[in-house]
Amino acid sequence: MIIDEINRANLSRVFGELMYLLEYRDRKIPLSGGGTFFVPSNVRIIGTMNTADRSIALVDHALRRRFAFIALIPNYEVLRHYHQRPA
């Protein structure tokens, strides 16, 4: 599942009880409406963020505990090569 600009979302509404479950992926949790839920091991959640966006400061510690953060920096040489080639 890919969530674009995850830092702009109301994460409690997007994830609901899944937010708790992401921290305890190896367990089933009871749902407030009844039944249980678990995240299968083959499910991956990718959330993108634009670091130029000021709302990134609002990403709370609960989210930071549940996700790994990887910086993806543009390779300007690739961009320069792309823009210098003839059309």
Side-chain angles (χ1 to χ4, degrees):
M1 174 191 314
I2 298 175
I3 303 171
D4 191 26
E5 296 201 25
I6 195 170
N7 53 310
R8 291 177 173 254
N10 179 338
L11 295 174
S12 62
R13 292 188 83 184
V14 171
F15 289 119
E17 289 158 323
L18 178 61
M19 189 69 166
Y20 172 80
L21 190 57
L22 288 173
E23 192 163 358
Y24 303 101
R25 289 183 72 114
D26 57 337
R27 304 183 202 170
K28 292 183 180 182
I29 63 162
L31 298 174
S32 59
T36 59
F37 186 72
F38 73 100
V39 177
S41 62
N42 64 345
V43 171
R44 301 288 185 255
I45 299 172
I46 299 170
T48 65
M49 294 179 165
N50 181 348
T51 57
D53 190 342
R54 295 194 189 279
S55 65
I56 197 167
L58 300 175
V59 175
D60 66 0
H61 293 287
L63 183 67
R64 292 180 186 275
R65 278 198 323 262
R66 291 166 174 89
F67 287 89
F69 287 78
I70 302 168
L72 300 175
I73 311 297
N75 183 335
Y76 293 107
E77 286 303 314
V78 170
L79 294 172
R80 189 172 295 113
H81 177 75
Y82 174 80
H83 288 289
Q84 288 177 349
R85 71 179 189 196

